Amino acid sequence: MKVTDKMAVIQEEIDEACRRSGRNPGEIEIIAVTKYVSVERAKEALSAGLKNLGENRDDGLLEKWDALGEGPIWHFIGSLQTRKVKNIINKVQYIHSLDRLSLAKEINKRADKPMKCFVQVNTSGEESKHGLDPEDVINFVEQLMDFPNISIVGLMTMAPFSEDRDEIRKCFAQLKDIQTAIKKLQLANAPCEELSMGMSNDFQIAIEEGATFIRIGTSLVGENS
Ligand SMILES: *Cc1c(COP(=O)(O)O)cnc(C)c1O
């Protein structure tokens, strides 16, 4: 299916989720996650009007970046090894996976200007998921105040891959609660206005719970469906 056709379906679902929750669809940015697809398909996504592209590995990001350059808004959404920061840092506009001080230090050192970061939170408690434990997030964000090249624009989470919609919703609601607590602190470099949550399987729930960036791969740019 063409990206434009898939996009029409997704946009309809976004609009419906917004209607249900009294939100404005204009508040929701779609990140097309291109990690499984070709450069050609990523180009097709851009032609379809998508502006944000997401990659989860440094080599994937670099391959797409070399072909597409500075046109798209680039999001690094995967777990990031400290030694790989230098490869991607000044090519992306957002990093969604800040989850430890050593990584913050490296980003702070290598960035040419304040890097827009999401703190990744493990709301599901699954061992396999990256991110900080929810109770550690505030302390972590406070420690980042020493890093002038880090701007905490929001929080990111991944819900469990589950049939249990309530369990998914709980994760997203918890991220929103943590955001509210951080905003109250009014820290200069942690405006924390954004929530990066929701993927192909669960973006409607994420929108109902306050997502401002949804990260969609399979159902938006997937080549086999
Ligand atoms: C792959 C990935 C996505 C997109 O997943 P789909 O289920 O294909 O929509 C979103 N976020 C992260 C962090 C990912 O790694």
Side-chain angles (χ1 to χ4, degrees), residues 73-92:
I73 300 168
W74 293 100
H75 297 257
F76 193 85
I77 62 171
S79 69
L80 182 54
Q81 286 174 278
T82 305
R83 66 188 168 86
K84 296 199 164 161
V85 167
K86 61 178 181 303
N87 301 344
I88 61 130
I89 183 78
N90 292 311
K91 297 194 156 77
V92 300

Side-chain angles (χ1 to χ4, degrees), residues 33 35-36 56 77 156 158 199-201 215-218:
V33 177
K35 65 189 186 193
Y36 295 130
N56 71 335
I77 62 171
M156 180 276 219
M158 289 171 85
M199 319 188 347
S200 292
N201 185 49
R215 311 177 307 267
I216 309 189
T218 320

Side-chain angles (χ1 to χ4, degrees), residues 142-160:
E142 284 174 339
Q143 285 177 296
L144 298 177
M145 296 305 98
D146 301 333
F147 299 132
N149 269 346
I150 302 247
S151 172
I152 302 302
V153 295
L155 304 177
M156 180 276 219
T157 200
M158 289 171 85

Side-chain angles (χ1 to χ4, degrees), residues 17 28 120-121:
I28 293 145
Q120 184 170 353
V121 185

Side-chain angles (χ1 to χ4, degrees), residues 126-166:
E126 290 176 306
E127 291 277 340
S128 61
K129 294 261 192 324
H130 292 269
L132 288 154
D133 287 341
E135 62 269 24
D136 296 335
V137 177
I138 289 193
N139 187 21
F140 179 70
V141 169
E142 284 174 339
Q143 285 177 296
L144 298 177
M145 296 305 98
D146 301 333
F147 299 132
N149 269 346
I150 302 247
S151 172
I152 302 302
V153 295
L155 304 177
M156 180 276 219
T157 200
M158 289 171 85
F161 194 80
S162 164
E163 292 294 310
D164 184 343
R165 313 304 276 175
D166 291 338

